Amino acid sequence: MTERPIDRVHWVYSSTTNAEIAERYDAWAEDYDTDLEAGLGYIDPTIVSAYVAKHVANDSRVLDAGVGTGLVGVALALHGFDDLTGIDLSRGMLEKAAETGVYGELRQMTLGETLYFASDTFDAIACVGTLTEGHAPPSSLDELIRVTRPGGYIVFSIRPDVYVNLGFAEKIEALIAAHKWALADSSDEVLVMPQGDPSATVRVWVYRAL
């Protein structure tokens, strides 16, 4: 494993298979929080959780899709959310998320594949740092919509270059045209790793399931 926090980010994002992603996140799990928060000043979970809180009552049932070590859940808990479910493909990350004590349920699942929840299960979904290169594909949005109740919200962050170049823009517009969801809110570009990568900007998007 490489040493600098930003190198570890790029190392994981260069994965080419789900098995490789899971293996690399397992290896990184112990140092993940320190690397991102202390090493890179990572603020993406804080921003996305604020948008969830803006649109969704804190007694809502929320899915953290791509839970990692639970940074999003901890941020949501600060807003008073206490009905949180998390999924991730990495067993090591799920074990670290469990240590936060904020999740009622944690399950190993892979975005881009079928999610083993009934349709209309959640009031909201938060997805942070997962809709990106080498990770969840645009097709994963179909399942996120399916498991969100009509009128619920899907809140996600995505890099502008990923949005344009990896098929997300086309998929999102297709879902709008199919009346699967509607845009509810969005942010300006935000620098989310100010101490390590001046190019790491995201926008937060909020869609309401129809």
Side-chain angles (χ1 to χ4, degrees), residues 13 25 32 36 42-49 52 63-68 71-73 75-76 88 111 125-132 135 144 155-158 192 202 204:
Y13 280 15
Y25 273 121
Y32 183 86
L36 287 191
Y42 186 54
I43 58 172
D44 206 354
T46 301
I47 297 166
V48 171
S49 65
V52 175
L63 174 65
D64 184 355
V67 67
L71 294 176
V72 175
L76 287 169
D88 204 278
L111 292 172
I125 293 177
C127 189
V128 178
T130 307
L131 302 176
T132 190
H135 286 55
L144 295 184
V155 185
F156 60 91
S157 60
I158 190 167
V192 292
V202 304
V204 178

Side-chain angles (χ1 to χ4, degrees), residues 6 9 13 36 40-43 190-198 200:
I6 193 61
V9 173
Y13 280 15
L36 287 191
L40 299 173
Y42 186 54
I43 58 172
V190 181
L191 181 62
V192 292
M193 295 183 185
Q195 294 167 209
D197 187 353

Side-chain angles (χ1 to χ4, degrees), residues 54-163:
K54 177 180 176 181
H55 290 277
V56 182
N58 62 11
D59 61 351
S60 299
R61 187 176 187 190
V62 180
L63 174 65
D64 184 355
V67 67
T69 58
L71 294 176
V72 175
V74 170
L76 287 169
L78 293 174
H79 287 283
F81 289 90
D82 61 4
D83 190 354
L84 303 177
T85 298
I87 61 172
D88 204 278
L89 84 171
S90 164
R91 176 56 56 188
M93 288 292 199
L94 288 167
E95 290 172 356
K96 295 300 292 184
E99 293 176 7
T100 66
V102 301
Y103 294 94
E105 182 180 13
L106 289 163
R107 298 174 65 179
Q108 190 170 22
M109 296 186 199
T110 301
L111 292 172
E113 299 178 0
T114 299
L115 301 181
Y116 297 104
F117 298 112
S119 297
D120 307 338
T121 294
F122 298 99
D123 299 306
I125 293 177
C127 189
V128 178
T130 307
L131 302 176
T132 190
E133 55 189 315
H135 286 55
S139 61
S140 61
L141 296 173
D142 292 307
E143 279 292 277
L144 295 184
I145 292 173
R146 181 186 66 79
V147 302
T148 304
R149 66 167 179 81
Y153 290 87
I154 300 162
V155 185
F156 60 91
S157 60
I158 190 167
R159 286 174 52 147
D161 58 331
V162 170
Y163 183 91

